[in-house]
Amino acid sequence: MSNQAAKPGTTGERHLAVLEGVLERITYANDETGYTVARVDTGRGGGDLLTVVGALLGAQAGESLRMEGRWGSHPQYGKQFTVENYTTLLPATIQGIRRYLGSGLVKGIGPVFADRITQHFGLDTLQIIEDEPKRLIEVPGLGPKRTKKIAEAWEEQKAIKEVMLFLQTVEVSTSIAVRIYKKYGDASISVVKNQPYRLASDVWGIGFLTADKIAQSVGIPHDSPERVKAGLQYALSQATDQGNCYLPEERLIADAVKLLQVDTGLVIECLAELALPDEESGDPGVVREKVPGPDGSPDPVTAVYLVPFHRAELSLAAQLRRLLRTDADRMPGFHDVAWDKAWGWLGRRTGVELAPEQEAAVRLALTKKVAVLTGGPGCGKSFTVRSIVELARAKKAKVVLAAPTGRAAKRLAELTGAEASTVHRLLELKPGGDAAYDKDRPLDADLVVVDEASMLDLLLANKLVKAVPPGAHILFVGDVDQLPSVGAGEVLRDLLADGGPIPAVRLTRVFRQAQQSGVVTNAHRINAGQHPVTDGMKDFFLFVEDDTEEAGRLTVDVAARRIPAKFGLDPRRDVQVLAPMHRGPAGAGNLNGLLQQAITPGRPDIPEKRFGGRVFRVGDKVTQIRNNYEKGENGVFNGTVGVVTSLDPVDQRLTVLTDEDEEVPYEFDELDELSHAYAVTIHRSQGSEYPAVVIPVTTSAWTMLQRNLLYTAVTRAKRLVVLVGSRKAIGQAVRTVSAGRRCTALDFRLSGP
């Protein structure tokens, strides 16, 4: 691990000052750019620490560094050293070695074992770990298992340092270097040198722009066809991240020309090549197909799809048509039911009579193989679902209940008194995303009910419908006026398309009991384009604050102090801040920092781990920010929320108890998959329900303020909504109908032969 320059020499290097010291702590690190602010002990005594700043990529607390850079002064923080490049030095004193090993640098060695190892081997400690790691077993308390673990961690650390050394020129962050090494192992440097664009598709966290930077540094030409093809696929993947299943060809070409800064002709040529079958796999890179234009325009467009989205759209449409048309029926008893008697039996069982449109929805679900139930809050969707399940079970039908999120599944189980699970867990998704249940091994179900179906994206809906056996019924339940899914597609909206083959009932009547709720009343007002009413409401409040920064601070005060004091709610478990966007003073990112300080402040007795610009503590509310099929029993998915229950600095791992009551371990180098969740964006809150929500609505989020965004946020609340912000911003949200449909062709395919 010694003598590894972290950055090649810069011009005029001979004029640089040299500083040696031990990195005591990192006070700030931007994981994107590598910019770091750290405190260094130069060994001059007196306990004084010096501030150093710069791209200290990969440097860890406890390491001895030889830094080259320039002295300067900061108006607020005083004298500091700006690092331009650095070398890792192995410590030369017993005390230095003990601190180095005990710093958490090597997994499996904490301060206790660092002390024992250095006591036993003295100044030879690091040489023993490097050359004769089996001798560690001589140290009291170090068995063969831990000895092996330490040796492996040491080797991995060395290998990661080598990858990072190679990547320094392109300023790739520590966590990305770790991911590259974990993906490719000893082949890491070879892949980075020879196939840099593979990184964009293989390694989470590396987009095309980072891969492009690496490619340029290893000499791949600006107009290389390899670069242009990778850029086209990146533009399409960006489009799917924004919810589109495809892009019209002309728009894709224009996006790629702008991104790549190359000639249009070259982009057109490379797109044509991408659409041809690959020599090795036989699959094309993209699929082109004529489909009707988005927003119902009469002129067809040439749609360009990434292959998985094209396959999923074709498959989902075909599977739904298969279910609709099959003669088999796993619930034949409902074709000749005496419905008047059924309603009477149900009324006696539940103590409530169904409204006519609810009766229509129940009949539809029990007699049609595919059906949709939609409607806003307070219109009786939940009771209708309960009635469907009661009648199906009375006829001994096997009912399977699922929802896209853990919270929604829990709510569905409470509502029906039957077991419900997330779609991922129901299908038993495996690493790589394949499901244990599919067309060849279908679910054992007569009726499948999927709640919060507005959250179903194309890929997940396809996996689910594939697993429904012929003759079984599937009912999609959701509010089509909410935001569409985070993933690509608008499945619920496409299922409800005018003139389509899927039968549906929309519940519109708000029940009298629900009319007394300010949350329900205002949700419907917002959905109708009317300003919410806040005067005289016991469960819907507005705190007017036009200044965005003040609105952010007030939001934190309301969520962490005022609501818990007035309503007796737990600020971590029961109160959720929902922000229109991530950035800005009233954005989820900034609010998370402020809420963490208010709800889970740092204390000497609470272990914590700094990662990038964030600090994780036991008790923190966190959310997973990517689909990871390798984690947990059946994967952990984007939007899963949990609480940090333990944090081990020696084994470099923290554990999260998720909403699905599963304990999921995270290695410290995986913490870029977690974000704090005291505040989340409204998009990320879909499918969840909270006792109380606090929504900052400020003019700084102007471009995001749309009716379905505010409507979705308000409908997340069970008991209480507090808006914080300006009347002008709320008016903008209420007035603005979201622009256009996503680029999908599922509705067109459903109507096909």
Side-chain angles (χ1 to χ4, degrees):
M1 284 197 193
S2 61
N3 299 322
Q4 292 188 337
K7 202 165 185 179
T10 53
T11 312
E13 197 171 300
R14 62 183 176 276
H15 302 304
L16 298 180
V18 174
L19 176 71
E20 288 190 4
V22 176
L23 183 59
E24 282 291 323
R25 66 176 179 272
I26 292 170
T27 54
Y28 170 78
N30 183 318
D31 216 37
E32 298 297 314
T33 64
Y35 179 80
T36 304
V37 179
R39 302 282 278 164
V40 169
D41 183 354
T42 56
R44 291 185 185 141
D48 287 343
L49 298 180
L50 183 75
T51 299
V52 298
V53 299
L56 285 165
L57 283 162
Q60 309 233 15
E63 287 188 304
S64 296
L65 306 178
R66 183 179 190 275
M67 295 160 283
E68 293 178 310
R70 303 179 193 282
W71 290 100
S73 183
H74 187 278
Q76 189 176 347
Y77 302 111
K79 189 178 179 184
Q80 61 182 33
F81 189 79
T82 301
V83 181
E84 296 205 6
N85 58 74
Y86 76 88
T87 305
T88 305
L89 303 172
L90 289 179
T93 66
I94 298 270
Q95 185 189 357
I97 292 168
R98 187 185 297 122
R99 269 167 67 194
Y100 178 69
L101 286 179
S103 65
L105 180 73
V106 182
K107 198 182 291 185
I109 305 182
V112 173
F113 279 119
D115 195 38
R116 286 189 199 169
I117 293 166
T118 47
Q119 272 187 22
H120 190 83
F121 294 116
L123 288 171
D124 295 332
T125 295
L126 299 180
Q127 180 258 316
I128 296 286
I129 297 175
E130 174 78 39
D131 300 328
E132 303 176 84
K134 287 183 179 171
R135 284 191 58 196
L136 288 170
I137 204 161
E138 297 171 18
V139 177
L142 275 185
K145 214 172 180 180
R146 191 179 283 269
T147 299
K148 184 169 181 266
K149 199 169 158 189
I150 290 168
E152 285 170 356
W154 181 266
E155 286 302 314
E156 182 175 282
Q157 193 69 28
K158 272 201 320 185
I160 288 167
K161 284 267 184 184
E162 274 182 48
V163 176
M164 287 184 57
L165 170 62
F166 182 75
L167 291 171
Q168 290 306 312
T169 48
V170 286
E171 298 185 345
V172 168
S173 69
T174 316
S175 59
I176 295 294
V178 170
R179 285 189 185 282
I180 291 172
Y181 176 75
K182 288 199 165 178
K183 178 72 183 173
Y184 304 117
D186 293 340
S188 297
I189 290 173
S190 169
V191 171
V192 169
K193 268 185 185 171
N194 302 312
Q195 299 169 284
Y197 290 107
R198 265 184 72 185
L199 301 173
S201 54
D202 287 358
V203 182
W204 181 74
I206 295 190
F208 171 79
L209 301 179
T210 304
D212 199 33
K213 223 194 252 184
I214 295 170
Q216 283 175 36
S217 74
V218 298
I220 290 176
H222 187 72
D223 59 355
S224 150
E226 183 192 357
R227 175 176 185 264
V228 177
K229 288 176 189 174
L232 280 161
Q233 288 181 305
Y234 170 72
L236 279 175
S237 74
Q238 286 289 96
T240 62
D241 286 348
Q242 288 154 14
N244 297 301
C245 298
Y246 70 82
L247 277 186
E249 188 174 53
E250 287 179 10
R251 186 168 143 197
L252 172 61
I253 291 167
D255 286 356
V257 168
K258 189 176 173 186
L259 170 75
L260 299 164
Q261 298 292 298
V262 294
D263 291 341
T264 304
L266 178 60
V267 171
I268 292 169
E269 278 175 38
C270 289
L271 181 57
E273 284 178 35
L274 262 181
L276 297 172
D278 179 73
E279 286 179 17
E280 285 181 28
S281 69
D283 291 327
V286 299
V287 176
R288 294 154 88 184
E289 184 187 357
K290 285 260 194 260
V291 300
D295 286 319
S297 59
D299 301 326
V301 296
T302 300
V304 187
Y305 287 83
L306 289 171
V307 172
F309 294 92
H310 185 256
R311 284 183 179 156
E313 204 171 76
L314 284 175
S315 167
L316 177 56
Q319 301 294 343
L320 286 167
R321 291 201 309 269
R322 168 182 68 86
L323 290 172
L324 279 167
R325 292 171 183 173
T326 183
D327 290 333
D329 193 340
R330 295 179 64 135
M331 295 201 300
F334 285 102
H335 288 288
D336 51 7
V337 160
W339 288 103
D340 287 346
K341 285 184 180 175
W343 305 139
W345 175 86
L346 193 63
R348 288 190 297 278
R349 190 167 173 81
T350 62
V352 181
E353 275 190 31
L354 290 171
E357 56 185 11
Q358 289 178 304
E359 289 181 355
V362 172
R363 287 180 72 155
L364 198 69
L366 296 173
T367 58
K368 301 291 183 184
K369 311 287 176 32
V370 183
V372 178
L373 170 62
T374 188
C379 293
K381 278 201 313 293
S382 296
F383 186 71
T384 305
V385 169
R386 183 183 157 193
S387 302
I388 291 164
V389 172
E390 290 275 7
L391 284 170
R393 287 158 104 196
K395 289 276 191 183
K396 304 287 187 283
K398 288 176 184 166
V399 181
V400 168
L401 305 171
T405 66
R407 276 178 180 260
K410 270 186 180 173
R411 197 173 68 242
L412 187 57
E414 287 162 8
L415 165 74
T416 57
E419 193 181 328
S421 68
T422 62
V423 177
H424 305 97
R425 201 175 282 272
L426 173 69
L427 299 178
E428 293 180 15
L429 290 180
K430 305 295 179 197
D434 291 329
Y437 292 94
D438 57 20
K439 193 175 178 183
D440 298 324
R441 188 195 174 201
L443 296 162
D444 183 16
D446 302 322
L447 170 65
V448 178
V449 178
V450 197
D451 200 7
E452 294 289 356
S454 62
M455 287 187 70
L456 278 181
D457 62 48
L458 173 68
L459 299 182
L460 187 58
N462 178 45
K463 285 186 172 78
L464 173 63
V465 174
K466 258 190 201 173
V468 177
H473 296 217
I474 183 166
L475 173 67
F476 297 93
V477 183
D479 185 347
V480 77
D481 294 323
Q482 285 183 28
L483 289 167
S485 56
V486 174
E490 276 190 292
V491 173
L492 187 62
R493 192 174 292 276
D494 285 339
L495 294 180
L496 287 163
D498 289 344
I502 311 291
V505 168
R506 180 167 192 148
L507 303 178
T508 55
R509 177 187 151 198
V510 181
F511 285 87
R512 188 179 303 145
Q513 188 182 349
Q515 287 171 3
Q516 294 162 12
S517 158
V519 176
V520 171
T521 301
N522 281 324
H524 285 279
R525 286 183 66 85
I526 290 164
N527 204 28
Q530 298 169 341
H531 209 282
V533 175
T534 55
D535 290 342
M537 292 285 182
K538 292 178 181 175
D539 60 354
F540 202 104
F541 301 90
L542 168 63
F543 286 80
V544 177
E545 178 50 72
D546 291 334
D547 180 80
T548 301
E549 286 197 25
E550 280 302 319
R553 282 192 282 270
L554 182 54
T555 297
V556 172
D557 189 44
V558 167
R561 192 177 63 82
R562 297 194 194 192
I563 289 177
K566 185 174 174 63
F567 295 95
L569 296 174
D570 182 293
R572 190 187 286 110
R573 189 183 61 244
D574 301 328
V575 183
Q576 184 63 55
V577 174
L578 302 179
M581 57 198 292
H582 185 76
R583 291 195 175 94
N590 184 54
L591 294 177
N592 263 318
L594 297 172
L595 285 159
Q596 184 192 35
Q597 286 172 26
I599 297 169
T600 318
R603 293 207 320 254
D605 59 324
I606 297 180
E608 61 179 44
K609 168 64 181 171
R610 181 173 293 278
F611 186 91
R614 298 194 287 271
V615 178
F616 291 96
R617 298 187 181 113
V618 171
D620 268 340
K621 185 176 180 179
V622 292
T623 181
Q624 173 83 7
I625 57 173
R626 66 171 285 229
N627 287 346
N628 187 336
Y629 295 98
E630 316 285 333
K631 289 202 94 48
E633 201 178 316
N634 296 117
V636 180
F637 297 91
N638 189 353
T640 300
V641 174
V643 173
V644 178
T645 52
S646 69
L647 194 153
D648 187 335
V650 176
D651 284 336
Q652 298 182 23
R653 180 183 295 127
L654 62 75
T655 304
V656 174
L657 179 65
T658 71
D659 271 350
E660 294 175 61
D661 297 324
E662 182 180 8
E663 290 209 321
V664 180
Y666 287 79
E667 304 297 319
F668 281 176
D669 59 29
E670 297 176 314
L671 293 182
D672 54 355
E673 294 191 18
L674 286 179
S675 177
H676 290 102
Y678 300 100
V680 298
T681 61
I682 295 166
H683 281 86
R684 296 188 68 80
S685 73
Q686 288 167 260
S688 294
E689 208 177 55
Y690 316 94
V693 301
V694 184
I695 311 163
V697 189
T698 66
T699 51
S700 68
W702 195 258
T703 54
M704 295 293 292
L705 296 176
Q706 295 176 349
R707 188 180 299 169
N708 61 352
L709 189 85
L710 186 56
Y711 174 74
T712 299
V714 168
T715 54
R716 299 307 85 215
K718 281 194 278 194
R719 289 169 48 190
L720 176 68
V721 171
V722 181
L723 302 179
V724 179
S726 73
R727 295 184 192 278
K728 184 180 177 185
I730 293 166
Q732 166 72 1
V734 168
R735 281 192 308 274
T736 309
V737 179
S738 62
R741 290 285 307 274
R742 291 177 167 187
C743 293
T744 81
L746 178 63
D747 53 348
F748 156 70
R749 298 185 197 283
L750 282 169
S751 301

